[in-house]
């Protein structure tokens, strides 16, 4: 027993030393802000080992199965004949950004990392446009608006929406709850400033992928929570009218399996900096599954059937629990053959996600306009 404890302790030392070094060089004046992404990548490399083999096997399996299905549909014998190469969404991101970016690198706070872009058409339809804030993923150690969500944003922009996509401060330099505080700051900015870009400050929605899905869900469920407000004033409005969670993680408490324990250890040592056993209230407060309530805004959850990083069963569990309590619509869509980050690598999955999200948000928007009209009458 002693030998195994000593072995575990020795194994921790190099990891802790590396993490400490990333926080040190990320906090350096002038150059530190440019080194923050490397700190996040280092943290993901240290903790991504348990997921890598399963993720690789699943990716290969999905590609083979999808090719076989395409071959069968085309009436062609053999998988090789069906290898129709489609440009992955991340490869089109630059063109989409060029086409729809209205104004870039707008500050929504005082930190250099608190930046967002505004996407919209040059000419908007009559009336204030609905607003979506997109929160990128990256395991709470990467929070960049580069590449992520572009298919969804472009689809909504073409339908007359004003879309915002944000950066936020991340661990290990910035510990939790800095990430959610920045998301709330961006929501408050949208409420106060969307009208300057043709947006409707009375209708602001939020969406996010992976860690961004967690942050979007948590923000939607906890408006006004003083622990998550950061530097915001008490009167800042952080409510949202709808939430879209795309392959998000909605449980920050479960330690029931080896993979879940590994994830919780990652949160403890990299993201939060405090042990769950000593501070369970921190993890409960940060867990959307534990923050469900009747007045939750409308929710749409979309997940890949073959996600090995965040299994679809976790999204189903969150959907079922929220559906039982919420007075507003809660919907769930599971995409066959899709894995984690499907909207970055597969065009058909990305398009489906964008279309279904737009349909859901449009329904919520129409109900909002009906309420406004009936109130005015």
């Amino acid at each position: 027993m002693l030998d195994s404890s000593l072995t575990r302790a020795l194994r921790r030392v190099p990891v802790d030393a590396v993490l400490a070094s990333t926080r040190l060089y990320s906090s350096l004046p002038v150059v530190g802000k440019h080194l923050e992404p490397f700190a996040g990548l280092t943290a993901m490399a240290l903790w991504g080992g348990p997921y890598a083999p399963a993720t690789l096997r699943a990716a290969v399996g999905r590609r083979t199965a999808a090719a076989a299905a395409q071959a069968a549909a085309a009436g062609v014998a053999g998988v090789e004949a069906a290898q129709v190469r489609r440009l992955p969404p991340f490869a089109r991101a630059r063109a989409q950004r060029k086409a729809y970016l209205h104004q870039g690198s707008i500050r929504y706070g005082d930190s250099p990392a608190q930046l967002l872009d505004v996407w919209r058409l040059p000419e908007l339809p009559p009336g204030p446009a609905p607003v979506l804030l997109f929160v990128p993923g990256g395991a709470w150690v990467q929070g960049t608006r580069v590449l992520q969500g572009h298919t969804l944003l472009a689809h909504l922009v073409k339908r007359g929406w004003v879309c915002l996509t944000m950066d936020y401060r991340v661990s290990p330099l910035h510990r939790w709850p800095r990430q959610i505080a920045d998301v709330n700051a961006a929501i408050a900015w949208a409420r106060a400033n969307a009208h300057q870009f043709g947006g409707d400050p009375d209708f602001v929605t939020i969406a996010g992928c992976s860690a961004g899905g967690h942050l979007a869900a948590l923000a939607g469920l906890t408006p006004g929570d003083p622990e998550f407000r950061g530097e915001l004033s008490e009167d800042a409005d952080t409510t949202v009218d709808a939430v879209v969670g795309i392959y998000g993680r909605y449980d920050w408490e479960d330690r029931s399996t080896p993979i879940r324990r590994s994830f919780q250890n990652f949160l403890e040592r990299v993201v939060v900096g405090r042990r769950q056993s000593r501070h369970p209230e921190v993890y409960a407060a940060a867990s959307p599954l534990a923050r469900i309530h009747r007045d939750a805004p409308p929710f749409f959850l979309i997940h890949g059937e073959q996600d090995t990083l965040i299994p679809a069963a976790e999204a189903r569990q969150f959907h079922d629990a929220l559906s039982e309590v919420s007075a507003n619509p809660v919907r769930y869509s599971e995409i066959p053959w899709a894995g984690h980050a499907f909207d970055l690598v597969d065009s058909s999955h990305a398009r489906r996600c964008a279309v279904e999200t737009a349909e859901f948000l449009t329904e919520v928007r129409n109900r909002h306009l009906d309420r406004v009209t009936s109130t005015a009458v």
Side-chain angles (χ1 to χ4, degrees), residues 327-363:
N328 283 310
V330 182
R331 296 184 187 171
Y332 177 70
S333 178
E334 193 166 298
I335 301 181
W337 300 112
H340 205 72
F342 60 77
D343 59 320
L344 287 174
V345 297
D346 188 285
S347 295
S348 62
H349 295 339
R351 285 195 298 269
R352 173 173 170 173
C353 177
V355 169
E356 292 186 1
T357 297
E359 290 175 351
F360 173 79
L361 292 178
T362 298
E363 290 179 15

Side-chain angles (χ1 to χ4, degrees), residues 5 8 44 48 76 131 153 172 177 199 202 228 247 274 278 287 294 302 327 331 347 351 356 358:
S5 299
R8 286 195 299 271
M44 284 195 284
V76 179
V131 178
L153 298 175
D202 293 324
F228 297 157
Y247 51 87
R274 288 189 279 183
R278 296 181 179 178
S287 180
R294 176 176 172 78
I302 188 164
R331 296 184 187 171
S347 295
R351 285 195 298 269
E356 292 186 1

Side-chain angles (χ1 to χ4, degrees), residues 111-130:
S111 169
Q114 291 178 301
L115 300 173
L116 57 79
D117 293 343
V118 176
W119 289 36
R120 49 157 283 185
L121 293 171
E123 297 293 333
L124 289 171

Side-chain angles (χ1 to χ4, degrees), residues 226-249:
E227 294 183 23
F228 297 157
R229 294 187 73 83
E231 299 87 2
L232 288 176
S233 62
E234 292 184 1
D235 60 346
D237 187 354
T238 61
T239 62
V240 293
D241 293 283
V243 176
V244 179
I246 306 169
Y247 51 87
R249 173 141 267 162

Side-chain angles (χ1 to χ4, degrees), residues 254-283:
D254 182 19
R255 304 184 71 97
S256 62
T257 67
I259 289 294
R260 286 293 316 186
R261 287 193 291 274
S262 176
F263 170 69
Q264 293 301 123
N265 290 339
F266 169 78
L267 291 179
E268 289 177 340
R269 297 175 67 185
V270 179
V271 180
V272 180
R274 288 189 279 183
R275 295 181 62 180
Q276 186 178 9
S277 59
R278 296 181 179 178
H279 302 277
E281 73 285 354
V282 173
Y283 294 84

Side-chain angles (χ1 to χ4, degrees), residues 123-261:
E123 297 293 333
L124 289 171
V131 178
L132 174 85
L133 171 65
F134 181 80
V135 187
W140 305 274
V141 298
Q142 293 284 319
T144 174
R145 62 198 188 279
V146 176
L147 301 180
Q148 296 192 50
H150 284 28
T151 299
L152 172 61
L153 298 175
H155 184 73
L156 288 172
V157 165
K158 286 186 284 188
R159 295 170 65 94
W161 284 63
V162 170
C163 293
L164 316 174
T165 178
M166 65 177 293
D167 286 359
Y168 52 92
R169 284 171 282 184
V170 293
S171 297
L173 180 61
H174 303 286
R175 297 292 196 180
W176 180 267
R178 171 46 57 198
Q179 296 88 339
I180 187 64
D182 281 3
V183 171
N184 280 323
I187 295 170
W189 185 96
R191 290 288 191 188
N193 296 280
H195 67 282
Q196 299 180 32
F197 302 95
D200 184 355
D202 293 324
F203 189 80
V204 175
T205 64
I206 190 169
C209 295
S210 195
H214 162 264
L215 293 169
L218 188 62
L221 291 167
T222 61
D225 189 321
E227 294 183 23
F228 297 157
R229 294 187 73 83
E231 299 87 2
L232 288 176
S233 62
E234 292 184 1
D235 60 346
D237 187 354
T238 61
T239 62
V240 293
D241 293 283
V243 176
V244 179
I246 306 169
Y247 51 87
R249 173 141 267 162
Y250 307 111
D251 187 349
W252 265 33
E253 296 186 279
D254 182 19
R255 304 184 71 97
S256 62
T257 67
I259 289 294
R260 286 293 316 186
R261 287 193 291 274

